[in-house]
Amino acid sequence: MTQSATGFSDLLAGARHSAVHLEMRDTYAVADEAERIEQWRAGHRLDPTDRASWWRPWLDTIATTVACGVVVRRARIVSEPVSEYTRYLHSMTFTNVAAGEQVRWLPRMHASTIALPGADFWLFDGKVVMFNHFTGEGDWADPEDTVSDDPAVAKLCAEAFETVWERAVPHEQYTV
């Protein structure tokens, strides 16, 4: 899933220690993924040995960020049995890992006792939050995602993310 261009690149480039991302939807339907999802439905799978075929600008960005010493972690809360979209996402997450991102999956039933924000988010250096808003159908709801540097909001997101991270299963161990 790609990110809104408004502000995100600057926030990620400005991170010095950490960038964490919490995804909580079972389905995303952002326009720039439609063709790849259709190819996946038709049986196409990324070849882990053919890096040139799947290395995209997003992965360059993550690799550069990680090379600068920023720890990038992504946690996904998913319903089980998983949705078709989650199966698609899982099949290609090895690319995120190859770029240096750490990824974990938390079955939704294990998230019931976690206080979670109402939207997906990125948290940069534990201080600045960018919320990602989606329509009910899973497309971007607003190209200008909400950014907050309110310490209480950052604390809520940091605590939620860390609790999810502690309970979640590393990508290499999670099967769909």
Side-chain angles (χ1 to χ4, degrees), residues 12 15-21 65-74 100-102 122-123 125 165:
L12 184 60
R16 296 293 166 249
H17 308 288
S18 65
V20 301
H21 186 36
T65 301
V66 170
C68 290
V70 177
V71 176
V72 180
R73 297 182 292 161
R74 179 186 306 256
E101 198 174 334
Q102 300 172 40
W122 278 91
L123 175 64
D125 291 331
W165 190 257

Side-chain angles (χ1 to χ4, degrees), residues 28-50:
Y28 295 88
V30 293
D32 63 346
E33 286 185 330
E35 184 177 338
R36 288 191 306 264
I37 291 171
E38 285 307 313
Q39 292 169 348
W40 178 83
R41 283 181 179 135
H44 175 75
R45 298 297 182 267
L46 299 177
D47 179 354
T49 64
D50 184 11

Side-chain angles (χ1 to χ4, degrees), residues 11 121-124 126-131 133 145-155 157:
L11 290 169
F121 65 85
W122 278 91
L123 175 64
F124 304 94
K127 296 178 182 175
V128 178
V129 180
M130 175 178 265
F131 289 103
H133 303 287
D145 294 321
T146 307
V147 176
S148 174
D149 61 0
D150 180 326
V153 173
K155 182 178 187 241
C157 292

Side-chain angles (χ1 to χ4, degrees), residues 113-176:
T113 59
I114 303 171
L116 297 166
D120 292 6
F121 65 85
W122 278 91
L123 175 64
F124 304 94
D125 291 331
K127 296 178 182 175
V128 178
V129 180
M130 175 178 265
F131 289 103
N132 306 135
H133 303 287
F134 298 91
T135 67
E137 298 298 323
D139 201 357
W140 292 109
D142 186 347
E144 296 185 26
D145 294 321
T146 307
V147 176
S148 174
D149 61 0
D150 180 326
V153 173
K155 182 178 187 241
L156 168 69
C157 292
E159 289 175 353
F161 183 87
E162 292 305 327
T163 303
V164 168
W165 190 257
E166 289 170 12
R167 295 181 188 185
V169 179
H171 173 70
E172 298 78 11
Q173 297 170 15
Y174 187 75
T175 55
V176 294

